[in-house]
Amino acid sequence: MYARLPDDERDAVTVTIDGEAFDARAGDTVAAALFASGRVASRTTPVSGAPRGPFCMMGVCFDCLVTVDGVPNQQACLVAVAAGMRIHTQRGRVPLTPSPASPP
């Protein structure tokens, strides 16, 4: 469905998407990296579990919410990838803020 242009020679940036390493491109958004990795859904809805993915690609629709480096509900279309970034697609209801770390 989505493919990189053959002349895309930007540097690779390794990120982790749902526990799997993926080479995104420098300058990509998280949404673009999700598409390039073959994922079209970034979250599921809390009530029906319906898949949702990037729609507007400009921060208006909130369908592309993901967890980035432990911070939930980030708009994937507005966040640029960075080396070592940990991206997790969201399933169902996710708290608005990360829960405090449990004591050791």
Side-chain angles (χ1 to χ4, degrees):
M1 179 174 203
Y2 297 94
R4 292 207 177 273
L5 296 174
D7 63 348
D8 189 348
E9 297 180 11
R10 294 177 291 152
D11 292 336
V13 177
T14 303
V15 298
T16 303
I17 302 174
D18 291 333
E20 298 177 19
F22 179 74
D23 286 336
R25 297 286 185 264
D28 276 355
T29 62
V30 170
L34 289 170
F35 280 146
S37 75
R39 292 166 175 84
V40 292
S42 58
R43 68 180 186 98
T44 60
T45 60
V47 176
S48 69
R52 292 286 189 262
F55 179 70
C56 72
M57 295 297 283
M58 60 183 191
V60 176
C61 72
F62 292 86
D63 275 338
C64 64
L65 298 178
V66 293
T67 299
V68 176
D69 292 334
V71 180
N73 301 308
Q74 300 296 302
Q75 288 178 272
C77 65
L78 298 179
V79 177
V81 294
M85 182 177 276
R86 293 169 294 122
I87 303 161
H88 293 278
T89 54
Q90 297 185 167
R91 302 286 174 241
R93 183 183 168 278
V94 177
L96 292 177
T97 58
S99 57
S102 55

Coordinates of all heavy atoms in Angstrom, one line a residue:
M1 N 0.8 -1.2 0.0 CA 0.0 0.0 0.0 C 0.9 1.3 0.0 O 0.6 2.2 -0.7 CB -0.9 0.0 1.2 CG -1.8 1.1 1.3 SD -3.0 0.9 2.7 CE -4.3 2.0 2.1
Y2 N 1.9 1.3 0.9 CA 2.8 2.4 0.9 C 4.2 1.9 0.6 O 4.6 0.9 1.1 CB 2.8 3.1 2.3 CG 1.4 3.7 2.6 CD1 0.5 2.9 3.3 CD2 1.1 4.9 2.2 CE1 -0.8 3.5 3.6 CE2 -0.2 5.5 2.5 CZ -1.1 4.7 3.2 OH -2.3 5.2 3.5
A3 N 4.9 2.7 -0.1 CA 6.3 2.3 -0.4 C 7.2 3.5 -0.5 O 6.7 4.6 -0.9 CB 6.4 1.5 -1.8
R4 N 8.4 3.3 -0.2 CA 9.4 4.4 -0.3 C 9.7 4.7 -1.7 O 9.8 3.7 -2.5 CB 10.6 4.1 0.5 CG 10.4 4.0 2.0 CD 11.7 4.4 2.7 NE 11.4 4.4 4.2 CZ 11.0 5.4 4.8 NH1 10.8 6.6 4.2 NH2 10.8 5.4 6.1
L5 N 10.0 5.9 -2.0 CA 10.5 6.2 -3.4 C 11.9 5.6 -3.6 O 12.7 5.5 -2.6 CB 10.6 7.7 -3.6 CG 9.3 8.5 -3.5 CD1 9.5 10.0 -3.6 CD2 8.4 8.0 -4.7
P6 N 12.2 5.1 -4.7 CA 13.4 4.4 -4.9 C 14.7 5.2 -4.7 O 15.8 4.7 -4.5 CB 13.3 3.9 -6.4 CG 12.2 4.6 -7.0 CD 11.3 5.1 -5.9
D7 N 14.5 6.5 -4.9 CA 15.7 7.4 -4.7 C 15.8 8.0 -3.3 O 16.5 9.0 -3.1 CB 15.6 8.5 -5.7 CG 14.4 9.4 -5.6 OD1 13.5 9.1 -4.8 OD2 14.4 10.5 -6.2
D8 N 15.1 7.4 -2.3 CA 15.2 7.9 -0.9 C 16.5 7.4 -0.3 O 16.6 6.3 0.1 CB 14.0 7.3 -0.1 CG 13.9 8.0 1.2 OD1 14.8 8.7 1.7 OD2 12.8 7.8 1.9
E9 N 17.5 8.3 -0.3 CA 18.8 8.0 0.2 C 19.1 8.7 1.6 O 20.3 8.8 1.9 CB 19.8 8.4 -0.8 CG 19.7 7.7 -2.1 CD 20.7 8.1 -3.2 OE1 21.7 8.8 -2.8 OE2 20.5 7.7 -4.3
R10 N 18.1 9.0 2.3 CA 18.3 9.6 3.6 C 18.9 8.6 4.6 O 18.7 7.4 4.4 CB 17.0 10.2 4.2 CG 16.4 11.3 3.4 CD 15.1 11.8 3.9 NE 14.1 10.8 3.6 CZ 13.0 10.6 4.4 NH1 12.8 11.4 5.4 NH2 12.1 9.7 4.1
D11 N 19.6 9.1 5.6 CA 20.2 8.1 6.5 C 19.2 7.3 7.3 O 18.1 7.8 7.6 CB 21.0 8.9 7.6 CG 22.3 9.6 7.0 OD1 22.7 9.1 5.9 OD2 22.7 10.6 7.5
A12 N 19.5 6.1 7.6 CA 18.6 5.2 8.4 C 18.7 5.6 9.8 O 19.8 6.0 10.3 CB 19.0 3.8 8.2
V13 N 17.6 5.5 10.5 CA 17.5 5.8 12.0 C 16.8 4.6 12.6 O 15.6 4.3 12.2 CB 16.7 7.1 12.3 CG1 16.5 7.3 13.8 CG2 17.3 8.3 11.6
T14 N 17.5 3.8 13.4 CA 16.9 2.6 13.9 C 16.0 2.9 15.1 O 16.4 3.6 16.1 CB 18.0 1.6 14.4 OG1 18.8 1.3 13.2 CG2 17.3 0.3 14.9
V15 N 14.7 2.5 15.0 CA 13.7 2.7 16.1 C 13.2 1.3 16.4 O 13.4 0.3 15.7 CB 12.6 3.6 15.7 CG1 13.1 5.0 15.4 CG2 11.8 3.1 14.5
T16 N 12.4 1.2 17.5 CA 11.8 -0.1 17.8 C 10.3 0.1 17.8 O 9.8 1.1 18.4 CB 12.2 -0.5 19.2 OG1 13.6 -0.7 19.3 CG2 11.5 -1.9 19.6
I17 N 9.6 -0.7 17.0 CA 8.1 -0.6 16.9 C 7.5 -1.9 17.4 O 7.8 -3.0 16.8 CB 7.7 -0.4 15.4 CG1 8.3 0.9 14.8 CG2 6.2 -0.3 15.3 CD1 8.1 1.1 13.4
D18 N 6.8 -1.8 18.5 CA 6.2 -2.9 19.1 C 7.2 -4.1 19.4 O 7.0 -5.2 19.1 CB 5.0 -3.5 18.3 CG 3.8 -2.6 18.4 OD1 3.7 -1.8 19.3 OD2 3.0 -2.6 17.4
G19 N 8.4 -3.6 19.8 CA 9.5 -4.6 20.2 C 10.3 -5.1 19.0 O 11.3 -5.8 19.2
E20 N 10.1 -4.6 17.8 CA 10.9 -5.0 16.6 C 11.7 -3.9 16.1 O 11.1 -2.8 15.9 CB 9.9 -5.5 15.5 CG 9.1 -6.8 15.8 CD 8.2 -7.1 14.7 OE1 8.4 -6.7 13.6 OE2 7.2 -7.9 15.0
A21 N 13.0 -4.1 15.8 CA 13.8 -3.0 15.3 C 13.4 -2.7 13.9 O 13.0 -3.6 13.1 CB 15.3 -3.5 15.3
F22 N 13.4 -1.4 13.5 CA 13.0 -1.0 12.2 C 13.9 0.2 11.8 O 14.1 1.1 12.6 CB 11.5 -0.6 12.1 CG 11.1 -0.1 10.8 CD1 10.9 -1.0 9.7 CD2 10.9 1.2 10.5 CE1 10.6 -0.6 8.5 CE2 10.6 1.7 9.3 CZ 10.4 0.8 8.2
D23 N 14.4 0.2 10.6 CA 15.2 1.3 10.1 C 14.2 2.3 9.4 O 13.8 2.1 8.2 CB 16.2 0.8 9.1 CG 17.4 0.1 9.8 OD1 17.6 0.4 11.0 OD2 18.0 -0.7 9.1
A24 N 13.9 3.4 10.1 CA 13.2 4.5 9.6 C 14.2 5.4 8.9 O 15.4 5.1 8.8 CB 12.5 5.2 10.7
R25 N 13.7 6.5 8.3 CA 14.6 7.4 7.6 C 14.6 8.7 8.4 O 13.6 9.2 9.0 CB 14.1 7.7 6.2 CG 14.1 6.5 5.3 CD 15.5 6.2 4.9 NE 15.5 5.1 3.9 CZ 15.7 3.8 4.2 NH1 15.8 3.5 5.5 NH2 15.7 2.9 3.3
A26 N 15.8 9.3 8.5 CA 15.9 10.6 9.2 C 14.9 11.6 8.5 O 14.8 11.7 7.3 CB 17.4 11.1 9.0
G27 N 14.2 12.3 9.4 CA 13.2 13.2 8.9 C 11.8 12.7 8.8 O 10.8 13.4 8.7
D28 N 11.7 11.4 9.0 CA 10.3 10.8 9.0 C 9.6 11.1 10.2 O 10.2 11.3 11.3 CB 10.4 9.2 8.9 CG 10.6 8.7 7.5 OD1 10.5 9.5 6.5 OD2 10.7 7.4 7.4
T29 N 8.3 11.1 10.2 CA 7.5 11.2 11.4 C 7.3 9.7 11.8 O 7.5 8.8 11.1 CB 6.1 11.8 11.1 OG1 5.4 11.0 10.2 CG2 6.2 13.2 10.6
V30 N 6.8 9.5 13.0 CA 6.5 8.2 13.5 C 5.4 7.6 12.6 O 5.5 6.4 12.3 CB 6.0 8.3 15.0 CG1 5.5 6.9 15.5 CG2 7.2 8.7 15.9
A31 N 4.4 8.3 12.2 CA 3.4 7.8 11.3 C 4.0 7.3 10.0 O 3.6 6.2 9.6 CB 2.3 8.9 11.0
A32 N 4.9 8.0 9.4 CA 5.5 7.6 8.2 C 6.3 6.3 8.4 O 6.3 5.4 7.6 CB 6.4 8.7 7.6
A33 N 7.0 6.2 9.6 CA 7.7 5.0 9.9 C 6.8 3.8 10.1 O 7.1 2.7 9.7 CB 8.6 5.2 11.2
L34 N 5.6 4.0 10.7 CA 4.6 3.0 10.9 C 4.2 2.5 9.5 O 4.1 1.3 9.3 CB 3.4 3.4 11.7 CG 3.7 3.7 13.2 CD1 2.5 4.4 13.8 CD2 4.0 2.4 13.9
F35 N 3.8 3.4 8.6 CA 3.4 3.0 7.3 C 4.5 2.2 6.6 O 4.3 1.2 6.0 CB 3.0 4.2 6.4 CG 1.7 4.8 6.7 CD1 1.4 6.1 6.6 CD2 0.6 3.9 7.0 CE1 0.2 6.7 6.9 CE2 -0.7 4.4 7.2 CZ -0.9 5.8 7.1
A36 N 5.7 2.7 6.6 CA 6.9 2.1 6.0 C 7.1 0.7 6.5 O 7.6 -0.2 5.8 CB 8.1 2.9 6.1
S37 N 6.8 0.5 7.8 CA 7.0 -0.9 8.4 C 5.9 -1.8 8.1 O 5.9 -3.0 8.5 CB 7.2 -0.7 9.9 OG 5.9 -0.5 10.5
G38 N 4.9 -1.3 7.4 CA 3.7 -2.2 7.0 C 2.6 -2.1 7.9 O 1.6 -2.8 7.8
R39 N 2.6 -1.3 8.9 CA 1.5 -1.1 9.9 C 0.6 0.0 9.4 O 1.1 1.1 9.2 CB 2.1 -0.8 11.3 CG 2.8 -2.0 11.9 CD 3.6 -1.5 13.1 NE 4.2 -2.6 13.8 CZ 5.4 -3.1 13.5 NH1 6.0 -2.6 12.5 NH2 5.9 -4.1 14.2
V40 N -0.7 -0.3 9.3 CA -1.6 0.8 8.9 C -2.4 1.2 10.1 O -3.0 2.3 10.1 CB -2.5 0.4 7.8 CG1 -1.7 0.2 6.5 CG2 -3.3 -0.9 8.1
A41 N -2.5 0.5 11.2 CA -3.2 0.8 12.4 C -2.2 1.2 13.5 O -1.2 0.4 13.7 CB -4.1 -0.3 12.9
S42 N -2.4 2.3 14.1 CA -1.5 2.7 15.2 C -2.2 2.5 16.6 O -1.5 2.5 17.6 CB -1.1 4.2 15.1 OG -2.3 5.0 15.1
R43 N -3.5 2.2 16.6 CA -4.2 2.0 17.8 C -5.5 1.3 17.5 O -5.9 1.2 16.4 CB -4.5 3.3 18.6 CG -5.5 4.2 17.8 CD -5.8 5.5 18.6 NE -6.9 6.3 18.0 CZ -8.1 6.3 18.4 NH1 -8.5 5.6 19.4 NH2 -9.0 7.1 17.8
T44 N -6.2 0.8 18.6 CA -7.5 0.3 18.5 C -8.4 1.1 19.4 O -7.9 1.6 20.5 CB -7.6 -1.2 18.9 OG1 -7.2 -1.4 20.2 CG2 -6.8 -2.0 17.9
T45 N -9.7 1.2 19.1 CA -10.6 2.0 19.9 C -11.0 1.3 21.2 O -11.0 0.0 21.2 CB -11.9 2.4 19.2 OG1 -12.5 1.1 18.8 CG2 -11.6 3.2 17.9
P46 N -11.2 2.0 22.3 CA -11.5 1.4 23.6 C -12.8 0.6 23.6 O -12.9 -0.5 24.2 CB -11.6 2.5 24.6 CG -11.0 3.7 23.9 CD -11.1 3.4 22.4
V47 N -13.8 1.0 22.9 CA -15.2 0.3 23.0 C -15.3 -0.9 22.0 O -15.5 -2.0 22.5 CB -16.3 1.4 22.7 CG1 -17.6 0.7 22.7 CG2 -16.3 2.5 23.7
S48 N -15.0 -0.7 20.8 CA -15.2 -1.8 19.8 C -14.0 -2.5 19.4 O -14.0 -3.6 18.8 CB -15.9 -1.3 18.5 OG -15.0 -0.4 17.8
G49 N -12.8 -1.9 19.7 CA -11.6 -2.5 19.3 C -11.2 -2.3 17.8 O -10.4 -2.9 17.3
A50 N -12.0 -1.4 17.2 CA -11.7 -1.1 15.8 C -10.4 -0.5 15.6 O -9.9 0.4 16.3 CB -12.8 -0.1 15.2
P51 N -9.7 -0.9 14.5 CA -8.4 -0.3 14.3 C -8.5 1.1 13.7 O -9.4 1.5 13.0 CB -7.8 -1.2 13.2 CG -9.0 -1.8 12.5 CD -10.0 -1.9 13.5
R52 N -7.5 1.9 14.1 CA -7.4 3.3 13.7 C -6.0 3.6 13.3 O -5.0 3.0 13.9 CB -7.8 4.3 14.8 CG -9.2 4.3 15.2 CD -10.1 4.9 14.1 NE -11.5 5.1 14.5 CZ -12.4 4.3 14.2 NH1 -12.2 3.2 13.5 NH2 -13.7 4.5 14.5
G53 N -5.8 4.4 12.3 CA -4.4 4.7 11.9 C -4.4 6.2 11.4 O -5.4 6.9 11.4
P54 N -3.2 6.6 11.0 CA -3.0 8.0 10.5 C -4.0 8.3 9.4 O -4.2 7.5 8.5 CB -1.6 8.0 10.0 CG -0.9 7.0 10.8 CD -1.9 5.9 11.0
F55 N -4.7 9.4 9.6 CA -5.7 9.8 8.6 C -5.4 11.2 7.9 O -5.2 11.3 6.8 CB -7.1 9.8 9.2 CG -8.2 10.2 8.3 CD1 -8.6 9.4 7.3 CD2 -8.8 11.5 8.4 CE1 -9.7 9.8 6.4 CE2 -9.9 11.9 7.6 CZ -10.3 11.0 6.6
C56 N -5.3 12.2 8.8 CA -5.1 13.5 8.3 C -3.6 13.8 8.0 O -3.3 14.7 7.2 CB -5.7 14.6 9.2 SG -4.9 14.8 10.7
M57 N -2.7 13.2 8.8 CA -1.3 13.4 8.7 C -0.9 14.8 9.1 O 0.2 15.3 8.7 CB -0.7 13.0 7.4 CG -0.9 11.5 7.1 SD 0.1 10.5 8.3 CE 1.7 10.6 7.6
M58 N -1.7 15.6 9.8 CA -1.3 16.9 10.2 C -1.8 17.3 11.6 O -1.9 18.5 11.9 CB -1.9 18.0 9.1 CG -3.4 18.0 9.0 SD -3.8 19.2 7.7 CE -5.5 19.3 7.9
G59 N -2.2 16.4 12.4 CA -2.4 16.6 13.8 C -3.9 17.0 14.1 O -4.1 17.5 15.2
V60 N -4.8 16.9 13.2 CA -6.2 17.3 13.5 C -7.1 16.2 14.0 O -7.9 16.4 14.9 CB -6.8 17.9 12.2 CG1 -8.2 18.3 12.4 CG2 -6.0 19.1 11.8
C61 N -6.9 14.9 13.5 CA -7.9 13.9 13.7 C -7.6 13.0 15.0 O -8.5 12.4 15.5 CB -8.0 13.0 12.5 SG -6.6 11.9 12.2
F62 N -6.4 12.9 15.5 CA -6.1 12.1 16.7 C -6.3 10.6 16.5 O -6.4 9.9 17.4 CB -6.8 12.6 17.9 CG -6.4 14.0 18.4 CD1 -7.0 15.1 17.9 CD2 -5.4 14.1 19.3 CE1 -6.6 16.4 18.3 CE2 -5.0 15.4 19.8 CZ -5.6 16.5 19.2
D63 N -6.3 10.2 15.2 CA -6.5 8.7 15.0 C -5.1 8.0 15.1 O -5.1 6.8 15.1 CB -7.1 8.5 13.7 CG -8.6 8.5 13.8 OD1 -9.2 8.3 14.9 OD2 -9.3 8.7 12.7
C64 N -4.0 8.7 15.1 CA -2.7 8.1 15.0 C -2.0 8.0 16.4 O -0.8 7.9 16.4 CB -1.8 8.8 14.0 SG -1.5 10.5 14.5
L65 N -2.7 8.0 17.5 CA -2.1 8.0 18.8 C -1.3 6.7 19.0 O -1.7 5.6 18.7 CB -3.2 8.1 19.9 CG -4.0 9.4 19.9 CD1 -5.1 9.3 21.0 CD2 -3.1 10.6 20.0
V66 N -0.1 6.9 19.6 CA 0.9 5.9 19.9 C 1.6 6.2 21.2 O 1.5 7.3 21.7 CB 1.9 5.7 18.8 CG1 1.3 5.1 17.5 CG2 2.7 6.9 18.5
T67 N 2.3 5.2 21.8 CA 3.1 5.5 22.9 C 4.5 5.6 22.4 O 5.0 4.7 21.7 CB 3.0 4.4 24.0 OG1 1.6 4.3 24.4 CG2 3.9 4.6 25.2
V68 N 5.2 6.7 22.8 CA 6.6 6.9 22.3 C 7.4 7.1 23.6 O 7.2 7.9 24.4 CB 6.7 8.2 21.5 CG1 8.1 8.5 21.1 CG2 5.9 8.1 20.2
D69 N 8.4 6.2 23.7 CA 9.3 6.2 24.8 C 8.6 6.3 26.2 O 9.0 7.0 27.1 CB 10.3 7.4 24.7 CG 11.3 7.2 23.6 OD1 11.6 6.0 23.2 OD2 11.8 8.2 23.1
G70 N 7.5 5.5 26.3 CA 6.8 5.4 27.5 C 5.7 6.5 27.7 O 5.0 6.4 28.7
V71 N 5.6 7.4 26.9 CA 4.7 8.5 27.0 C 3.5 8.2 26.1 O 3.6 8.2 24.8 CB 5.3 9.9 26.6 CG1 4.2 11.0 26.8 CG2 6.5 10.2 27.5
P72 N 2.3 7.9 26.6 CA 1.1 7.5 25.8 C 0.5 8.7 25.1 O 0.7 9.9 25.4 CB 0.2 6.9 26.8 CG 0.5 7.6 28.1 CD 2.0 7.9 28.1
N73 N -0.4 8.3 24.1 CA -1.2 9.3 23.4 C -0.5 10.4 22.7 O -0.9 11.5 22.7 CB -2.2 9.9 24.4 CG -3.1 8.8 25.0 OD1 -3.7 8.0 24.3 ND2 -3.2 8.8 26.4
Q74 N 0.6 10.0 22.1 CA 1.4 10.9 21.2 C 0.9 10.8 19.8 O 0.6 9.8 19.3 CB 2.9 10.6 21.2 CG 3.5 10.6 22.6 CD 3.5 12.0 23.2 OE1 4.0 13.0 22.6 NE2 2.8 12.2 24.3
Q75 N 0.7 12.0 19.1 CA 0.2 12.0 17.8 C 1.4 11.6 16.8 O 2.4 12.3 16.7 CB -0.3 13.3 17.4 CG -1.7 13.6 18.0 CD -2.2 15.0 17.7 OE1 -1.8 15.9 18.3 NE2 -3.0 15.0 16.6
A76 N 1.3 10.4 16.2 CA 2.4 9.9 15.4 C 2.7 10.8 14.2 O 3.9 10.8 13.8 CB 2.0 8.5 15.0
C77 N 1.8 11.5 13.7 CA 2.0 12.3 12.6 C 2.8 13.6 12.9 O 3.3 14.3 12.0 CB 0.7 12.7 11.9 SG -0.4 13.7 12.9
L78 N 2.9 13.9 14.2 CA 3.6 15.2 14.6 C 5.0 14.9 15.3 O 5.7 15.9 15.5 CB 2.7 16.0 15.6 CG 1.4 16.4 15.0 CD1 0.6 17.2 16.1 CD2 1.6 17.3 13.8
V79 N 5.3 13.7 15.5 CA 6.5 13.3 16.2 C 7.6 12.8 15.2 O 7.3 11.9 14.5 CB 6.3 12.3 17.3 CG1 7.6 11.9 18.0 CG2 5.3 12.8 18.4
A80 N 8.7 13.4 15.2 CA 9.8 13.0 14.3 C 10.5 11.8 15.0 O 10.7 11.8 16.2 CB 10.8 14.1 14.0
V81 N 10.9 10.8 14.2 CA 11.7 9.7 14.7 C 13.1 10.1 15.2 O 13.6 11.1 14.7 CB 11.8 8.5 13.7 CG1 10.5 7.9 13.3 CG2 12.6 9.0 12.4
A82 N 13.6 9.4 16.1 CA 14.9 9.7 16.6 C 15.6 8.3 16.9 O 14.9 7.3 17.2 CB 14.9 10.5 17.9
A83 N 16.9 8.2 16.7 CA 17.6 7.0 17.0 C 17.3 6.4 18.3 O 17.3 7.1 19.3 CB 19.1 7.2 16.8
G84 N 16.9 5.1 18.4 CA 16.7 4.5 19.7 C 15.3 4.7 20.2 O 14.9 4.1 21.2
M85 N 14.4 5.4 19.5 CA 13.0 5.7 19.9 C 12.3 4.3 20.1 O 12.4 3.4 19.2 CB 12.4 6.6 18.9 CG 10.9 7.0 19.3 SD 10.3 8.1 18.1 CE 10.9 9.7 18.7
R86 N 11.5 4.2 21.1 CA 10.6 3.0 21.3 C 9.2 3.5 21.1 O 8.6 4.3 21.8 CB 10.8 2.5 22.8 CG 12.2 1.9 23.0 CD 12.4 1.6 24.5 NE 12.4 2.9 25.3 CZ 11.6 3.2 26.3 NH1 10.7 2.4 26.7 NH2 11.7 4.4 26.9
I87 N 8.6 2.9 20.1 CA 7.2 3.2 19.6 C 6.4 2.0 19.9 O 6.7 0.8 19.5 CB 7.2 3.5 18.1 CG1 8.2 4.7 17.8 CG2 5.8 3.8 17.7 CD1 8.6 4.8 16.4
H88 N 5.2 2.2 20.5 CA 4.3 1.1 20.8 C 2.9 1.5 20.3 O 2.4 2.6 20.6 CB 4.2 0.7 22.2 CG 5.4 0.1 22.8 ND1 5.7 -1.2 22.6 CD2 6.5 0.7 23.4 CE1 6.9 -1.5 23.1 NE2 7.4 -0.3 23.6
T89 N 2.3 0.7 19.5 CA 0.9 0.9 19.1 C 0.0 0.7 20.3 O 0.4 0.0 21.2 CB 0.4 0.0 17.9 OG1 0.7 -1.4 18.3 CG2 1.2 0.3 16.6
Q90 N -1.1 1.4 20.4 CA -2.0 1.3 21.6 C -3.2 0.4 21.3 O -3.7 0.4 20.3 CB -2.4 2.8 21.9 CG -1.3 3.7 22.3 CD -1.7 5.0 22.8 OE1 -0.8 5.8 23.3 NE2 -2.9 5.5 22.6
R91 N -3.5 -0.3 22.4 CA -4.7 -1.2 22.3 C -5.7 -0.8 23.3 O -5.4 -0.7 24.5 CB -4.2 -2.6 22.6 CG -3.2 -3.2 21.7 CD -3.8 -3.5 20.3 NE -2.8 -3.8 19.4 CZ -2.5 -3.1 18.2 NH1 -3.2 -2.1 18.0 NH2 -1.6 -3.5 17.4
G92 N -6.9 -0.4 22.9 CA -7.9 0.0 23.8 C -7.7 1.3 24.5 O -7.0 2.2 24.1
R93 N -8.2 1.3 25.7 CA -8.1 2.5 26.6 C -6.7 2.6 27.1 O -6.2 1.7 27.7 CB -9.1 2.5 27.7 CG -9.1 3.7 28.6 CD -10.1 3.5 29.8 NE -9.9 4.6 30.7 CZ -8.9 4.6 31.6 NH1 -8.1 3.6 31.7 NH2 -8.8 5.6 32.5
V94 N -6.1 3.8 27.0 CA -4.8 4.1 27.5 C -4.9 5.3 28.4 O -5.5 6.3 27.9 CB -3.8 4.3 26.4 CG1 -2.4 4.7 26.9 CG2 -3.7 3.1 25.5
P95 N -4.4 5.3 29.6 CA -4.4 6.5 30.4 C -3.8 7.7 29.7 O -2.9 7.6 28.9 CB -3.6 6.2 31.7 CG -3.5 4.7 31.7 CD -3.6 4.3 30.2
L96 N -4.3 8.9 30.1 CA -3.8 10.2 29.4 C -2.4 10.4 29.8 O -1.6 11.0 29.0 CB -4.7 11.4 29.8 CG -6.1 11.3 29.3 CD1 -6.9 12.5 29.8 CD2 -6.1 11.3 27.8
T97 N -1.9 10.0 31.0 CA -0.5 10.2 31.4 C 0.1 8.9 31.8 O -0.7 8.0 32.2 CB -0.5 11.2 32.6 OG1 -1.2 10.7 33.6 CG2 -1.0 12.6 32.2
P98 N 1.4 8.8 31.7 CA 2.0 7.5 32.1 C 1.8 7.3 33.6 O 1.7 8.2 34.4 CB 3.5 7.7 31.8 CG 3.7 9.1 31.5 CD 2.3 9.7 31.2
S99 N 1.6 6.0 34.0 CA 1.5 5.7 35.4 C 2.8 5.9 36.1 O 3.9 5.6 35.5 CB 0.9 4.3 35.6 OG 1.7 3.4 35.0
P100 N 2.8 6.3 37.4 CA 4.1 6.4 38.1 C 4.8 5.1 38.2 O 4.2 4.1 38.2 CB 3.7 7.0 39.4 CG 2.2 6.9 39.5 CD 1.7 6.6 38.2
A101 N 6.1 5.2 38.1 CA 6.9 3.9 38.2 C 6.7 3.3 39.6 O 6.6 4.0 40.6 CB 8.4 4.3 38.1
S102 N 6.6 2.0 39.6 CA 6.3 1.3 40.8 C 7.7 1.2 41.6 O 8.7 1.1 41.0 CB 5.8 -0.1 40.5 OG 6.7 -0.8 39.7
P103 N 7.6 1.2 42.9 CA 8.8 1.2 43.7 C 9.6 -0.1 43.5 O 8.9 -1.1 43.2 CB 8.3 1.3 45.1 CG 6.9 1.3 45.1 CD 6.4 1.3 43.7
P104 N 10.9 -0.1 43.6 CA 11.7 -1.3 43.4 C 11.4 -2.4 44.4 O 10.9 -2.3 45.4 CB 13.1 -0.9 43.4 CG 13.1 0.6 43.9 CD 11.7 1.0 43.9

